[in-house]
Amino acid sequence: MSHRMKERLAYHLNEQRQRIEYLKKHYGQFKVSEVTLDQIFNGIRGVTLLITDTSYVDPHQGIRIRDFTIPELLRILPKAPGSAFPLAGGLYYLLMTGEVPDEAEAWEVEATWRERMAVPEHVFRVIDAMPRDAHPMTLLSQAILALQTESIFAKRYEEGISKPAFWGYYLEDSLNLTAKLPVLAAYIYNRKYQRGEHIPPHPDLDWSANFAYMIGRSDDPIFVELMRLYFVLHSDHEGGNVTAYSANVVSSSLADIYFTASAGINGLAGPLHGLANQECTRWLLRVLHHFGGLPSEEQLEAYVRDQLEKGMTIPGYGHAVLRTVDPRFTALADLAETYFPQDTLYRLVKRVYAVVPRVLSSLGKVKNPWPNVDAISGALLYHFGVRQLDFYTVLFGISRMLGVTAQTVWARGLYKPLERPKSITSQMLEAMIAQTGETAPAPLASAPVA
């Protein structure tokens, strides 16, 4: 396996344990945040509850992975020969250790993945047993669950191991799982959309390029570049998004990495989260269809205002944390501008970007009128002929599992406990308010039972 990565990870886990023990001992009662009634009823949004060292979403700089911005990340991480974008292996080394790898360390992770890409036959049979119209995210989740038979941690835990040993087995399982994710995604794509042909991974290609190869698209070097960029950009996003938080809660029960990853994938499949990329692309295609081609800015503005007046949203615009253009949007736009600036769907993306923030700002109701990564990612996939919109979230998913597995290994290495927040009833909440002496209009009477 990637021995250097494991060695450096062990060093930093020990260092972080000492920091945490010091903080708990001396500052255990330090108040980090307060919770309001609104926050409780609105999905605990904005409440600081988690420590996630792999990444942080800065409202003005976007995602910082191990404290590096997206532009910094794209510059400093090792790249394949002739490529402008990082190796996923180097990114994984950074996520796991917090250290920027050199080329040898990045390629060591890539080599570890290549050694572990073989998928047990029963996993393919599970996918094949599903109906042809099953959503590809359903297939990915089931395939990951089917891999649970391979969990090293689960076997060792049953035999009896001590808590300090947990993280090492989670790391082994994480490397095994992440190695197989491009194979699973390619198998699902080929089965649903390309007559079921199965192309085994190439022994000489990096993790990202191998996905392109396995769906028969490695002859297009720009598509390979897009995959390298795409998998870096979608890899991690703090710990509070649905994917990461679902995985964190499940893992806290000591469920192995396969149960954990499947839980994260299930959360990603929701239209308010990972499916947003396909919804954005679908909206762009509807706009083109509505106008019979690319609309002018004036036509587009009228269309957008009409949509908003009808109570509809413009998908891809706005973000729970960001207050600026998502740097991931910018990185993808730079690639498109370099290689296919005249693509019609990309030109529409640019036109929407020129119009929508201005419209949303004029209405004064939106904290962040700027585009996020979903506003463009699907348009680039569509350009390269990947036009099965329901598959887009699978690519998002296999990328995001890089961050989820890194977070999970760290959680076990830092002995994080079972997640168990306390809940109260709404009647108890009303009683708490009454004790403060606050008054409010009487609640509406309950509706009569029909």
Side-chain angles (χ1 to χ4, degrees):
M1 67 167 292
S2 180
H3 297 291
R4 177 66 174 166
M5 184 171 74
K6 186 174 183 180
E7 175 187 298
R8 298 307 298 162
L9 178 52
Y11 171 82
H12 287 296
L13 282 172
N14 184 59
E15 181 183 57
Q16 186 72 348
R17 287 189 205 111
Q18 293 178 41
R19 292 173 65 191
I20 290 171
E21 286 306 312
Y22 178 85
L23 290 170
K24 287 166 65 177
K25 180 179 179 180
H26 296 283
Y27 302 100
Q29 301 307 307
F30 179 80
K31 185 177 290 186
V32 176
S33 65
E34 295 182 357
V35 183
T36 66
L37 186 149
D38 269 345
Q39 289 172 319
I40 291 174
F41 282 113
N42 288 294
I44 58 175
R45 180 162 297 203
V47 181
T48 302
L49 293 172
L50 306 166
I51 299 293
T52 306
D53 288 320
T54 55
S55 64
Y56 169 73
V57 180
D58 185 290
H60 305 291
Q61 294 182 309
I63 184 73
R64 299 184 69 98
I65 293 180
R66 289 295 188 180
D67 207 32
F68 293 104
T69 65
I70 290 298
E72 290 169 342
L73 206 63
L74 297 180
R75 185 176 70 253
I76 64 174
L77 286 176
K79 301 167 180 64
S83 175
F85 301 112
L87 291 164
L91 172 72
Y92 204 49
Y93 188 102
L94 175 65
L95 283 166
M96 281 291 184
T97 68
E99 299 178 357
V100 177
D102 58 28
E103 283 198 20
E105 290 162 337
W107 280 111
E108 186 181 37
V109 177
E110 293 282 351
T112 299
W113 277 335
R114 284 198 296 266
E115 293 165 0
R116 302 174 184 221
M117 279 186 161
V119 173
E121 190 59 34
H122 76 269
V123 177
F124 293 135
R125 290 201 301 270
V126 167
I127 297 173
D128 291 342
M130 292 294 292
R132 285 281 175 176
D133 61 352
H135 196 284
M137 287 294 280
T138 304
L139 302 180
L140 180 60
S141 178
Q142 294 211 345
I144 291 172
L145 275 179
L147 277 171
Q148 194 276 334
T149 57
E150 311 303 298
S151 174
I152 298 171
F153 171 77
K155 293 180 176 68
R156 296 294 179 267
Y157 187 84
E158 191 172 337
E159 295 167 1
I161 53 175
S162 62
K163 185 182 290 187
F166 289 177
W167 74 266
Y169 294 116
Y170 269 85
L171 176 60
E172 285 290 331
D173 279 349
S174 294
L175 285 164
N176 285 334
L177 170 60
T178 52
K180 295 171 175 56
L181 289 174
V183 183
L184 296 178
Y187 189 87
I188 290 167
Y189 185 82
N190 292 338
R191 178 181 182 270
K192 280 188 68 70
Y193 314 118
Q194 301 202 135
R195 301 180 303 281
E197 181 183 7
H198 174 47
I199 304 173
H202 194 287
D204 299 325
L205 294 177
D206 60 89
W207 193 85
S208 304
N210 236 320
F211 171 76
Y213 171 80
M214 288 183 286
I215 64 167
R217 295 175 184 271
S218 60
D219 58 343
D220 188 337
I222 308 307
F223 181 73
V224 175
E225 286 286 80
L226 173 61
M227 290 298 94
R228 290 186 177 123
L229 176 60
Y230 189 101
F231 291 141
V232 168
L233 296 181
H234 290 79
S235 62
D236 205 38
H237 208 252
E238 282 194 356
N241 65 78
V242 174
T243 304
Y245 190 59
S246 299
N248 178 65
V249 172
V250 170
S251 171
S252 77
S253 72
L254 297 188
D256 61 54
I257 203 68
Y258 300 97
F259 287 122
T260 296
S262 181
I265 289 294
N266 294 342
L268 191 67
L272 295 183
H273 188 27
L275 291 194
N277 53 15
Q278 70 184 47
E279 295 307 311
C280 290
T281 311
R282 188 171 285 122
W283 184 84
L284 291 169
L285 293 171
R286 281 202 300 268
V287 171
L288 286 181
H289 178 74
H290 176 81
F291 289 102
L294 188 67
S296 67
E297 284 195 18
E298 292 75 16
Q299 289 174 315
L300 184 59
E301 179 168 343
Y303 180 84
V304 166
R305 289 188 181 278
D306 179 66
Q307 295 281 292
L308 293 172
E309 287 173 6
K310 292 176 179 177
M312 303 177 74
T313 60
I314 308 303
Y317 282 76
H319 190 276
V321 179
L322 279 175
R323 296 297 175 262
T324 188
V325 178
D326 189 336
R328 299 172 299 171
F329 175 96
T330 304
L332 289 169
D334 287 345
L335 184 147
E337 197 66 36
T338 299
Y339 294 110
F340 43 90
Q342 297 306 313
D343 176 84
T344 301
L345 201 57
Y346 170 62
R347 290 175 66 196
L348 177 59
V349 168
K350 288 202 299 182
R351 197 150 292 179
V352 172
Y353 176 37
V355 168
V356 168
R358 181 175 71 240
V359 172
L360 292 177
S361 295
S362 72
L363 298 175
K365 298 179 180 180
V366 180
K367 293 181 180 178
N368 174 36
W370 305 109
N372 59 53
V373 69
D374 296 321
I376 190 172
S377 60
L380 271 63
L381 293 168
Y382 198 88
H383 167 80
F384 286 102
V386 181
R387 298 186 172 180
Q388 300 81 12
L389 306 191
D390 58 355
F391 185 75
Y392 291 0
T393 313
V394 170
L395 295 180
F396 188 168
I398 68 172
S399 171
R400 184 54 57 85
M401 289 305 103
L402 299 176
V404 163
T405 54
Q407 289 185 26
T408 303
V409 171
W410 271 79
R412 300 289 69 78
L414 298 178
Y415 313 144
K416 286 191 175 180
L418 179 71
E419 290 274 331
R420 182 60 175 88
K422 179 66 176 162
S423 65
I424 59 175
T425 68
S426 55
Q427 288 84 357
M428 293 168 66
L429 186 60
E430 290 169 344
M432 291 166 64
I433 294 170
Q435 288 178 355
T436 68
E438 295 222 12
T439 59
L444 295 172
S446 299
V449 177

